[in-house]
Amino acid sequence: MGREHWKKIWVGSAGNMVEWFDWFVYASFATYFAGAFFPEGDDTAKLMNTAGIFAVGFFMRPVGGWLLGRVGDRKGRKAALTLTVTLMSASAVLIAIAPTYAVAGYGGAVVLLLARLLQGLSVGGEYAASATYLTEASAPEHRGFASSFQYVSMTAGQILGLGLLLLLQRTLSDQALHAWGWRVPFVVGALGAAVVFYLRRNMLETEVYEETGADQADRGTLRALWAHKREAFLVVALTMGGTVAYYTYTTYLTKYLSNSAGLPKPTATLVSLCALVVFACLQPLAGRLSDRIGRRPLLITFAVGSTLLTVPILTMLRHAGSFWPALGLSLLALVVVTGYTSINACVKAELFPTGVRALGVALPYAIANALFGGTAEYVALWFKDAGIESGFSWYVAGCAAVSLVVYLTMRETRDIDLGRVGAAPTGRKRDQLPVS
């Protein structure tokens, strides 16, 4: 890959990392600030309240996907990426200064809710703009490898969040963390977003967009997307199992290990941190593999593994008891999930033509995340509160099984020419083109 391609991937990934740092630190620090905004009830009830607001952010993602996807298709990928990081910076500032229940009653929870709505708008557009940018910025034979850096940067953002949590756990008292320490990551996120805003203002637009994106009058419109409704429904279906599994083993894992498995919070955080470091390193390897053998084999491997292994993995995690067994099981789960995360960005981008690519990825993906990814943690806590925690394991496995059917029936997307709708492949076989 050339220097310009690497530069585009670096700028896109750096911004994505900060975006997802801000998004994930809410989940990572929820155990510390839940009582500040919702003082009534037991620990599970408080976490359910904060998880509910976390889920609300996901329900704004379809709106963000529509608005920012339209910007990305009509004004360019650069314009959309710059706008998303601006919204995320504003939301981080709001959470950092939100008043607690003791100061403003439930007014603080309202501020928290508004901040999550802004985050939902931002991330709803960020995923698609980033997926589209990274896919278009790479050479055809390296699209899987290049787009895998989306989840590298997403995971890096969460690793930084967990690392900061671990640092604060070791340097501040538990009382200080509950009182004010939880505000620190949101201040850091706001500052990081300001730096990325500068980087993105100077980033380069993709050649694919510059060559073919500006000559379509209806680009970025719902009417143009409706012409590709089959691909849009395909994005929802293929996302379902992957997003539930991803959020189960990333954002929810730390709380599961501490709230259900009984591990100390620092130990649970360290398990998540170590597992995510390995997970991030696996993404480019799997992405490169998909450039050689295709996308479908990896997706199918994920779905089969998640369908068959989720129940035993979560059951054994609940009884892990110490660091090493918990880490081993977490790594096994994330290795399985890698089959989805490493390539799902480019698969979705490869389904749509340039003029509707950002919107085509953004809106259906955001809808799937609102229905399944954003609610995963809340569903898990609901099962626990109802006394049937094992039911959540079957829920995750069932979602993976549904996506497995989709992966088995969908066509290969690896060899599509991004610049032409229904074009011939870029030098490989003509068979197994995506549905159009």
Side-chain angles (χ1 to χ4, degrees):
M1 295 179 64
R3 180 176 297 180
E4 286 300 316
H5 284 140
W6 278 112
K7 182 178 179 181
K8 291 176 181 178
I9 290 172
W10 156 244
V11 175
S13 297
N16 201 36
M17 178 182 67
V18 174
E19 285 264 359
W20 288 93
F21 170 87
D22 287 338
W23 180 259
F24 280 122
V25 290
Y26 179 97
S28 300
F29 282 80
T31 54
Y32 291 102
F33 66 72
F37 297 101
F38 304 101
E40 305 296 331
D42 58 19
D43 288 343
T44 299
K46 294 174 184 177
L47 285 175
M48 285 185 70
N49 285 327
T50 53
I53 291 181
F54 183 77
V56 166
F58 278 84
F59 284 97
M60 284 301 292
R61 287 175 66 164
V63 180
W66 169 58
L67 290 174
L68 297 171
R70 181 180 174 88
V71 171
D73 285 326
R74 297 187 71 84
K75 302 297 183 182
R77 319 312 188 200
K78 173 183 174 180
L81 287 169
T82 303
L83 183 55
T84 60
V85 78
T86 302
L87 293 173
M88 186 60 74
S89 178
S91 67
V93 170
L94 279 178
I95 297 176
I97 65 173
T100 64
Y101 181 86
V103 174
Y106 284 110
V110 172
V111 174
L112 191 66
L113 176 62
L114 290 175
R116 286 298 294 176
L117 293 177
L118 278 180
Q119 285 190 336
L121 282 173
S122 174
V123 175
E126 171 67 24
Y127 174 88
S130 177
T132 302
Y133 188 85
L134 290 173
T135 302
E136 290 181 347
S138 59
E141 66 272 17
H142 297 304
R143 287 202 300 254
F145 174 73
S147 65
S148 71
F149 282 89
Q150 181 176 44
Y151 270 82
V152 172
S153 56
M154 285 172 62
T155 306
Q158 189 173 7
I159 289 171
L160 289 174
L162 286 172
L164 182 56
L165 173 58
L166 194 61
L167 175 64
L168 293 175
Q169 285 173 335
R170 295 184 181 277
T171 56
L172 297 178
S173 66
D174 194 64
Q175 182 180 5
L177 268 172
H178 281 85
W180 58 269
W182 60 265
R183 298 183 186 271
V184 173
F186 299 105
V187 174
V188 172
L191 294 174
V195 173
V196 171
F197 176 81
Y198 172 77
L199 292 175
R200 284 187 167 177
R201 285 192 63 187
N202 295 280
M203 72 192 302
L204 301 174
E205 187 59 82
T206 67
E207 294 178 5
V208 172
Y209 179 82
E210 289 182 332
E211 291 174 357
T212 63
D215 59 354
Q216 302 173 29
D218 64 344
R219 63 190 185 276
T221 64
L222 292 176
R223 180 178 60 185
L225 178 60
W226 187 249
H228 301 275
K229 55 184 177 295
R230 191 173 180 182
E231 290 89 341
F233 286 117
L234 182 60
V235 169
V236 174
L238 69 86
T239 300
M240 178 182 177
T243 191
V244 170
Y246 175 74
Y247 280 99
T248 296
Y249 295 118
T250 55
T251 58
Y252 180 60
L253 181 64
T254 304
K255 286 186 280 295
Y256 183 74
L257 292 175
S258 61
N259 202 29
S260 296
L263 294 180
K265 288 179 181 178
T267 301
T269 303
L270 185 60
V271 168
S272 294
L273 179 63
C274 293
L276 286 172
V277 169
V278 176
F279 178 65
C281 294
L282 291 175
Q283 304 308 300
L285 299 178
R288 186 176 292 277
L289 180 62
S290 79
D291 286 327
R292 293 179 176 272
I293 67 174
R295 321 299 189 209
R296 289 179 67 247
L298 272 71
L299 291 172
I300 292 170
T301 299
F302 151 72
V304 171
S306 191
T307 300
L308 298 179
L309 297 177
T310 294
V311 174
I313 287 176
L314 288 178
T315 300
M316 288 187 288
L317 270 174
R318 195 164 65 247
H319 301 94
S322 61
F323 173 81
W324 289 109
L327 178 60
L329 291 166
S330 301
L331 285 174
L332 175 60
L334 289 174
V335 167
V336 172
V337 175
T338 295
Y340 166 80
T341 55
S342 59
I343 58 170
N344 82 95
C346 68
V347 169
K348 293 161 189 170
E350 288 166 344
L351 289 172
F352 297 95
T354 304
V356 76
R357 185 168 293 131
L359 180 61
V361 175
L363 186 55
Y365 172 78
I367 290 172
N369 265 270
L371 294 175
F372 303 106
T375 58
E377 182 178 330
Y378 194 84
V379 171
L381 292 169
W382 181 87
F383 274 111
K384 178 177 177 60
D385 195 53
I388 49 173
E389 189 168 19
S390 61
F392 178 67
S393 304
W394 292 100
Y395 169 76
V396 177
C399 291
V402 172
S403 287
L404 174 59
V405 175
V406 178
Y407 303 152
L408 290 172
T409 56
M410 71 180 288
R411 297 177 180 179
E412 183 58 67
T413 63
R414 177 187 59 176
D415 301 323
I416 287 299
D417 183 345
L418 294 180
R420 295 159 57 208
V421 178
T426 57
R428 298 187 182 98
K429 295 179 180 180
R430 288 186 61 94
D431 58 348
Q432 291 190 326
L433 297 182
V435 179
S436 61

